[in-house]
Amino acid sequence: MRNIGSLILLFSTYGFAQDWQNRDVLHLQVDVSDRWFIPAWSITNLRTQTPSTTNLFAGIGRRGNSWWLEGMIQRQWNPKGNQWMLDVRFDKQSGRWRLYTEGAVFLTKQAFYEFVIVERRVWKGLAAGAETENLHQLGRRDTVQIGPRASRKLGSLAGFDVSFAGALRFSLAQGHTEPRLYLVFNRRFTKGGRK
């Protein structure tokens, strides 16, 4: 808990930050066989300066020994207009390293979204690394954000694996810094029960 407090204190020292964000994430995987599953996500992104969003995802997934891949339909709601997207997510664990990538093609406008996390476990469930989140729109300036992140597994709550993360993302083209805090709830349902 001391590490989380230090992370929050670090973010609070950045008075030049323009858009504080809190992303609450619920991720479910329901197995239909040893390798195939049905994924579902609910993500709410609360922001202080730019429009907040709510996102729901559902689709099909495949799992290996140290990775999973999900292909889904995404629906996003925000004050500036609602969007439909095709979303693909990939997560790979390799020893202490983790790679997470996401790409989404908008169906309601000419745009492509990408999100990448690379992190390494450094101590008892604490990981450090970097993330980038970008939006490419035809005829408009790209939004590119990149910066350091840290995450920590908090334990289990009501059958969910709970983790916390924080990132400080820089956008040189737009000239602002974006602190973001994540609270993530994961649960996998197997044929024999939760795993």
Side-chain angles (χ1 to χ4, degrees):
M1 290 303 267
R2 184 181 51 165
N3 295 326
I4 294 171
S6 299
L7 188 61
I8 293 170
L9 181 62
L10 172 68
F11 288 156
S12 68
T13 63
Y14 286 92
F16 55 87
Q18 295 181 355
D19 196 7
W20 278 84
Q21 298 192 18
N22 174 57
R23 184 170 279 191
D24 297 317
V25 179
L26 173 66
H27 179 211
L28 304 175
Q29 293 181 336
V30 180
D31 287 0
V32 293
S33 72
D34 290 341
R35 296 288 186 182
W36 293 95
F37 61 91
I38 298 170
W41 295 74
S42 172
I43 301 174
T44 299
N45 194 14
L46 302 175
R47 307 175 183 185
T48 59
Q49 299 290 324
T50 54
S52 297
T53 61
T54 298
N55 303 270
L56 294 177
F57 308 72
I60 189 75
R62 183 160 172 83
R63 177 181 295 106
N65 292 331
S66 62
W67 59 270
W68 52 255
L69 175 69
E70 300 174 343
M72 297 173 289
I73 297 289
Q74 176 183 355
R75 176 67 164 158
Q76 181 184 85
W77 292 269
N78 72 62
K80 288 190 171 182
N82 303 325
Q83 306 291 337
W84 285 97
M85 292 168 254
L86 293 176
D87 187 275
V88 176
R89 297 176 177 215
F90 175 76
D91 190 272
K92 166 76 173 167
Q93 296 280 341
S94 181
R96 292 178 171 265
W97 288 93
R98 175 184 176 225
L99 170 67
Y100 171 86
T101 64
E102 176 186 357
V105 176
F106 284 74
L107 301 176
T108 46
K109 64 180 181 179
Q110 293 181 315
F112 179 77
Y113 167 86
E114 63 196 18
F115 183 55
V116 178
I117 296 170
V118 177
E119 61 184 4
R120 185 178 191 274
R121 192 173 67 253
V122 292
W123 181 74
K124 292 186 180 179
L126 178 67
E131 70 178 47
T132 181
E133 186 175 32
N134 311 307
L135 179 63
H136 310 282
Q137 301 180 76
L138 192 63
R140 299 182 67 185
R141 173 186 266 184
D142 290 348
T143 302
V144 177
Q145 300 168 313
I146 188 167
R149 70 173 269 129
S151 66
R152 178 88 162 94
K153 293 181 180 178
L154 299 180
S156 295
L157 176 66
F160 289 87
D161 296 323
V162 183
S163 60
F164 174 85
L168 186 62
R169 294 128 52 99
F170 302 93
S171 177
L172 300 177
Q174 291 153 329
H176 74 269
T177 304
E178 179 186 283
R180 178 181 282 180
L181 303 176
Y182 299 83
L183 186 59
V184 182
F185 295 84
N186 285 298
R187 187 163 182 177
R188 177 182 171 190
F189 295 90
T190 64
K191 287 184 172 183
R194 179 183 175 273
K195 184 171 181 176

